[in-house]
Amino acid sequence: MSAALGAGLRAVLALAFGLALWQAVVWASGVPPFILPGPVRVAESLWANAPMLAQNARFTLFNLLTGLAAGITLGVATALNLALSPGARLLVRPMLIFAQAVPVFALAPVITLWLGYGAPSKIVIVMLVIYFPVTSAFFDGLMRLPAPLADMAQLMRATPVRRLIWVQVPHALPSLASGLRLAVVYAPFAVIIGEWVGSSRGLGYLMLMANGRGQTDLMFAALLVLAALGLTLFFVFEGVIKRLTRPDQGQR
């Protein structure tokens, strides 16, 4: 508990120092508020526009969580099928490598054109961005089975499915955790880019609207809300990942 309190205190102190430095730069430079508003001005905008920010944040969060769930599910399923089927590896893996060479962000306008300005296009963009890291990380972990474990599975005459479930998957959980961490980092960028390309709602849309109207304080407020969503999601996933990869040997 003391370690957690210490880490929380350090985070609060770092945040306070960053805000103080930000305000000091604004005061010392005399930069106009429409270029760089101070944290006090941003906080005032955050309070004054709280209902609008909350409404757009709900839309962004829905797209973010739905895209994450779809991308992770599809990535895990693809990795399991590739590990289980040599034929799938011959057919699908070259397609995955080729698809990774094409930036998904470059396809965002096309996806928006096909699926419209609503939630589906944002969900698909998030799903595609995180699908490849999750698939690649988990598949690599499944295939990097140590020789002693492979020999044990062979001696026990385990079927390919049993070998996959009871031997390969537990060994590959740390690799899956690495893929999940990348997914949580990439997902907020993906959803915001999707909203920048074309949307009528969301924090990304609100940032563009505020920028066009010269409301830089509102743009910073939307950015802070997005950062809060991203950090909350990261810490939630980090807790899930630690439970997922917690060794059981010491508990037995």
Side-chain angles (χ1 to χ4, degrees), residues 181-196:
R181 288 188 177 97
L182 289 176
V184 175
V185 171
Y186 290 160
F189 293 102
V191 72
I192 287 300
I193 287 179
E195 291 176 357
W196 283 348

Side-chain angles (χ1 to χ4, degrees), residues 87-119:
R89 289 198 292 272
L90 290 175
L91 294 175
V92 178
R93 201 175 185 201
M95 297 171 59
L96 290 176
I97 295 173
F98 173 77
Q100 281 184 295
V102 179
V104 176
F105 295 140
L107 299 177
V110 178
I111 296 173
T112 303
L113 178 65
W114 288 344
L115 300 179
Y117 283 8

Side-chain angles (χ1 to χ4, degrees), residues 46 49-63 195 199-206 209 225 229:
L46 186 64
N49 299 282
M52 180 173 59
L53 286 165
Q55 181 181 3
N56 286 277
R58 283 194 293 269
F59 180 74
T60 298
L61 183 60
F62 172 78
N63 296 333
E195 291 176 357
S199 182
S200 58
R201 287 184 294 168
L203 292 174
Y205 162 77
L206 188 59
M209 184 188 70
V225 173
L229 291 180

Side-chain angles (χ1 to χ4, degrees), residues 66 72 86 108 127 142 147 194 201 221 223-224 226 239 245 247 251:
T66 308
I72 291 172
M127 181 187 71
L142 290 171
R201 287 184 294 168
L223 184 60
L224 288 179
L226 176 65
T245 58
Q251 300 177 0

